Amino acid sequence: LDLMNDGLQTTKQLEDMVYASAQRSRAAFVDTAQTVAKLGILAPKAFKNSKEIVSFAEQMNKQFVIGGASIQEQTAGMYQLTQAMASGRLQGDEFRSIIENAPMLAQAIATFTGKSMGELRKMSAEGEITADIIKNAMFAAADKTNKKFEQMPVTWAQVWINIQNRAIVAFDPILQKISQLTKNQGFQTFVNAF
């Protein structure tokens, strides 16, 4: 997160923003942080600032929940979406993956552009679904997404993710100390000797 932080907030504030977003969208904090970091590093020009990247990731997480995507589908969809945002366009295979793994996003793009799925397939083959279209479609659908998301029942898996997220934040100071310890020359000598 520090590498992509736009400087409008401290890295700790950005981390807190990502944590709150993950909790609101019932997503894993670490996965959300990785998505935000990748989007910020690979597609910085697609977004106005770090806050917008966090909002985009949150909306995507919520769409996955609404669409009933499995962890594997979420991972595949987020990978394709990150690649599309980095390249500036959602093309052929990426669009097919989005239709399969994030149908709510595909529908949001269709609604935003006023195009049918067939027309969107043609647009994707020609590289006409830009990062701006994706982002604007996601944000245009945000109210609808948020309303549907609020109606979704909380699953046991999501409860467990909430617990894990809270544990990560609670143990962050300890993890920071362990990280500092592993950078110590004495520790490195011990590892090498071991």
Side-chain angles (χ1 to χ4, degrees), residues 97-155:
S97 180
I98 293 299
I99 289 173
E100 293 169 9
N101 300 310
M104 299 297 295
L105 174 58
Q107 186 57 52
I109 294 170
T111 300
F112 180 76
T113 59
K115 305 285 184 186
S116 69
M117 284 299 168
E119 290 172 310
L120 288 180
R121 281 187 181 89
K122 185 176 185 229
M123 286 177 67
S124 74
E126 295 171 2
E128 294 176 356
I129 302 176
T130 65
D132 279 341
I133 289 173
I134 298 166
K135 180 182 77 170
N136 292 333
M138 181 80 71
F139 290 139
D143 287 341
K144 185 177 180 181
T145 300
N146 291 338
K147 285 177 185 166
K148 282 186 180 180
F149 181 79
E150 289 172 12
Q151 297 170 352
M152 298 298 296
V154 178
T155 66

Side-chain angles (χ1 to χ4, degrees), residues 163-175:
I163 292 168
Q164 289 174 325
N165 288 349
R166 290 173 187 267
I168 288 169
V169 170
F171 288 109
D172 189 50
I174 295 168
L175 296 173

Side-chain angles (χ1 to χ4, degrees), residues 14 17-18 21 24-25 32 36 39 47 49-62 135 138-139 142 145-146:
L14 178 58
M17 203 183 323
V18 171
S21 168
R24 283 190 303 269
S25 60
T32 303
V36 168
L39 286 170
F47 301 95
N49 52 44
S50 297
K51 185 177 181 179
E52 188 175 63
I53 295 171
V54 174
S55 297
F56 182 85
E58 180 175 334
Q59 287 301 307
M60 195 66 226
N61 285 336
K62 287 178 178 181
K135 180 182 77 170
M138 181 80 71
F139 290 139
T145 300
N146 291 338

